[in-house]
Amino acid sequence: MIIRIGGQRWTIERVDELDGKAEGECRRLSNQIRVQKTNHDHERDTLLHELIHAALAVTGVTNDLDDKEEERIVRAITPVLNDILDWKIAKHVMVHK
């Protein structure tokens, strides 16, 4: 699936497995988000987490943060946004390959 984040085209892909312990990854240089296939709710949370990473990258905020600071911010924001968003986009991504 291709979406726009901050005017940029990003590809979202569900994969059977990712390298390492990560369940999702945001590839900033190639504008790609990859989410490991698990259960729907967990994939939704992981997708939102990676979308926030992408938004921070697109806006340039990541230039001002080290990796640890960025991850702390993303982990804090993810559950709050998860509670308020209507997950129509995530449902579409999780159902379609």
Side-chain angles (χ1 to χ4, degrees):
M1 171 180 202
I2 296 175
I3 65 169
R4 292 186 102 41
I5 302 172
Q8 298 179 9
R9 291 170 48 104
W10 284 71
T11 301
I12 299 174
E13 179 183 11
R14 292 176 69 223
V15 297
D16 291 324
E17 197 171 310
L18 290 171
D19 296 334
K21 294 182 179 181
E23 296 169 348
E25 62 184 12
C26 176
R27 296 180 172 182
R28 295 176 181 118
L29 296 178
S30 61
N31 288 12
Q32 183 181 39
I33 293 173
R34 300 175 75 217
V35 176
Q36 185 172 318
K37 294 177 186 176
T38 57
N39 69 63
H40 174 70
D41 289 339
H42 194 72
E43 283 184 48
R44 182 193 64 211
D45 294 346
T46 302
L47 174 59
L48 178 57
H49 179 99
E50 299 307 331
L51 286 168
I52 295 168
H53 277 296
L56 292 175
V58 166
T59 59
V61 172
T62 55
N63 298 334
D64 299 327
L65 303 171
D66 65 31
D67 291 344
K68 189 175 180 179
E69 291 172 318
E70 179 184 346
E71 190 63 28
R72 185 175 58 82
I73 290 167
V74 171
R75 285 179 185 232
I77 294 171
T78 299
V80 175
L81 286 179
N82 194 20
D83 285 343
I84 61 175
L85 289 175
D86 178 16
W87 275 97
K88 291 180 183 174
I89 292 173
K91 289 175 186 174
H92 177 78
V93 172
M94 298 309 144
V95 172
H96 299 90
K97 291 183 180 179

